[in-house]
Amino acid sequence: MYIIAGLGNPTKTYEGTRHNIGFEVIDRLADRCRTQVTVRKNKVLYAKAILEGERVILIKPQTYMNLSGEAVREVADYYKTEPENIIVIYDDINLEPGQLRVRQKGSAGGHNGIKNIIAHLGTQEFPRVRVGVGEKPKGWDLADYVLARFSPEDRKIMDEAVDLAADAVEMILREGVAAAMNTYNAKKK
């Protein structure tokens, strides 16, 4: 069994923001599985599904971004899932809008949601799909930037990126992280 966690912030206030791109990818995966991530249990919204022949739990932590690890750890403990079977999808300001990076493991790279997941899992060794949302413009506060919505031009790019990120997750399940890295890390926007 795999846990697929898309990071974001709960409530309609944050829908469509850069920080919520992980939630959007989870919703796209749920659509492909003909389900919805609407069941509430403790600190997550979740859905059980079959994706690429694998049993998966799709989750959207409801703890707010900086405490994502609490929710991921709770679900991992409940389903007795090892970190290598937890795929995390999140926004990355170090990548151009729509650019993807798949990784087997690694540091948080300054992302507070990932820092918290690493702290709660006690390891950096879990696969992740980073979705580029673009660099913060000069003079902007980082929090204001990641909590802002995309420009109409970037929104079109991000809609495509959400599909690509969902494709990358499916490839991880089907062929492994290395195959997804070879396919999606080579693509440039």
Side-chain angles (χ1 to χ4, degrees):
M1 172 176 291
Y2 287 83
I3 295 169
I4 304 172
L7 303 191
N9 287 311
T11 76
K12 292 212 179 279
T13 303
Y14 299 102
E15 282 181 11
T17 64
R18 289 175 179 86
H19 236 7
N20 274 36
I21 204 70
F23 279 11
E24 291 185 36
V25 176
I26 290 295
D27 288 337
R28 188 67 44 91
L29 289 166
D31 289 345
R32 293 178 181 187
C33 295
R34 295 184 175 89
T35 190
Q36 292 183 329
V37 182
T38 56
V39 178
R40 175 109 190 182
K41 177 150 176 124
N42 299 329
K43 297 177 181 175
V44 298
L45 291 177
Y46 78 96
K48 295 179 182 178
I50 302 293
L51 188 62
E52 294 297 327
E54 298 285 349
R55 291 184 325 137
V56 299
I57 306 295
L58 303 172
I59 69 168
K60 296 196 290 190
Q62 300 296 290
T63 52
Y64 289 90
M65 181 64 78
N66 293 353
L67 300 176
S68 296
E70 293 177 11
V72 171
R73 180 62 193 242
E74 184 176 275
V75 176
D77 286 350
Y78 184 82
Y79 288 102
K80 297 175 178 49
T81 305
E82 295 299 320
E84 60 266 16
N85 287 347
I86 300 171
I87 302 168
V88 181
I89 308 152
Y90 62 100
D91 61 296
D92 191 322
I93 62 167
N94 296 311
L95 298 173
E96 292 298 315
Q99 191 177 13
L100 298 185
R101 283 290 178 267
V102 178
R103 293 284 185 253
Q104 177 74 46
K105 60 184 177 181
S107 71
H111 194 285
N112 289 332
I114 297 300
K115 282 181 191 173
N116 196 255
I117 291 172
I118 290 168
H120 280 273
L121 293 180
T123 184
Q124 298 180 0
E125 304 215 9
F126 54 89
R128 61 213 55 195
V129 177
R130 297 164 35 209
V131 182
V133 296
E135 188 177 5
K136 171 185 78 71
K138 189 173 182 168
W140 276 66
D141 175 72
L142 180 60
D144 290 341
Y145 180 69
V146 296
L147 297 177
R149 288 174 175 72
F150 296 100
S151 69
E153 302 81 33
D154 282 351
R155 183 71 257 180
K156 290 177 190 168
I157 293 168
M158 296 313 298
D159 287 342
E160 292 175 19
V162 167
D163 275 328
L164 282 176
D167 293 346
V169 170
E170 290 177 338
M171 181 175 271
I172 290 169
L173 296 174
R174 188 175 59 246
E175 299 176 41
V177 177
M181 288 171 65
N182 287 335
T183 299
Y184 293 97
N185 292 358
K187 292 183 186 259
K188 298 280 185 207
K189 276 291 177 191

